[in-house]
Amino acid sequence: MVEVHSPTPLYHRIYAVLRERIVKGYYPADRAIPSEAELSESFSVSRITIRRAMEMLTAERLVTRTRGRGTFVTDRTKDNEFNRAVVSNVNGLFSYLNDVGKSTRLKVISLDRGEAPPRICAQMGVEQATELVRAVRVRLLDKRPYSLSIAYLLPEIGGMLKRQDLANTNMIDLVQEAGASVEQVEQVMTATLADDYAAKHLEIPIGAPLMLVNRLFFNAELKPFYAAEIFYCADRYEYRVSLKREDGKDFSLGN
């Protein structure tokens, strides 16, 4: 999974992936991150390589290492006044998802039920360690991986999913067929790097650039019931938005 002839040292590529996980909240601040031995096995590299990557994270003050307790993410929570949602219409999103479904083919990786990651529990507004249904799929475009999607659903909705349906139908159609009403969707797009899992299923090197789209779906009571993380190959994905001025809605910036 790792490019043998990459000019970037292996430990630096591991550091970059771990840094992305920390920045994106993959590791919660109140829990120890995996040990050197666990990370070594996960990335299929030596513990020396992992140790050098961890030393870089420590020097950057992204993690704190405590003897006898483990390594913890440094709490860097800050509110950013610019991270505000732009309100739009879900019909445009549904139309886009429908077009993507017509142009691609789905490959189901897994459909299971288990303890959801802390970051997903926080988004869904459920207690940590809550069991959710998880569906992992890869979209193929021209017979090559185009995106990796990981969906987390409340059991009352996700429990009705069938593997054969996941191979042929968009998730948004499946959840509505299961009785869910989509009243609101929140979407966040960020740049990230491929970890070992994404690299394997997208057939790209660890540390390759990706576009991560997070979508959170709310029901008629405005309660989240479905969270999706979609990883797109950066060299094959483009998200384009057309913005138009509304009549009578002129706006000028203040000094």
Side-chain angles (χ1 to χ4, degrees), residues 72 85 130 153 183:
F72 292 80
T130 296
L153 304 103
E183 182 66 24

Side-chain angles (χ1 to χ4, degrees), residues 147-150 211-215 226 228-232:
S147 68
L148 169 68
S149 65
I150 306 176
M211 177 61 73
L212 170 59
V213 178
N214 270 97
R215 295 194 184 109
Y226 161 33
E229 295 181 329
I230 308 103
F231 299 86
Y232 293 93

Side-chain angles (χ1 to χ4, degrees), residues 8-81:
T8 306
L10 180 55
Y11 71 85
H12 195 281
R13 280 176 277 160
I14 301 297
Y15 149 79
V17 170
L18 293 175
R19 189 184 193 283
E20 282 296 305
R21 289 182 175 181
I22 291 170
V23 172
K24 298 298 188 299
Y26 187 93
Y27 299 126
D30 60 345
R31 291 190 186 181
I33 67 175
S35 65
E36 288 183 359
E38 292 171 324
L39 291 172
S40 174
E41 181 178 358
S42 175
F43 285 101
S44 298
V45 298
S46 70
R47 291 185 63 171
I48 295 176
T49 299
I50 295 297
R51 189 170 298 122
R52 293 193 66 179
M54 296 303 296
E55 288 171 352
M56 294 179 67
L57 294 172
T58 303
E60 202 172 339
R61 298 184 179 178
L62 289 172
V63 299
T64 302
R65 312 180 81 175
T66 305
R67 186 180 299 275
R69 294 187 64 237
T71 302
F72 292 80
V73 173
T74 304
D75 190 357
R76 301 167 60 249
T77 303
K78 290 183 180 179
D79 293 330
N80 189 327
E81 61 178 334

Side-chain angles (χ1 to χ4, degrees), residues 132-157:
L132 299 176
V133 173
R134 187 183 75 155
V136 181
R137 300 186 296 179
V138 170
R139 280 196 179 276
L140 302 172
L141 178 63
D142 297 329
K143 299 181 180 180
R144 291 172 50 208
Y146 172 70
S147 68
L148 169 68
S149 65
I150 306 176
Y152 297 90
L153 304 103
L154 294 179
E156 55 265 34
I157 299 297

Side-chain angles (χ1 to χ4, degrees), residues 89-107:
N89 194 302
V90 297
N91 292 335
L93 174 62
F94 288 0
S95 177
Y96 164 76
L97 295 177
N98 185 57
D99 290 341
V100 170
K102 291 179 180 178
S103 305
T104 58
R105 185 171 64 84
L106 286 166
K107 180 174 73 171

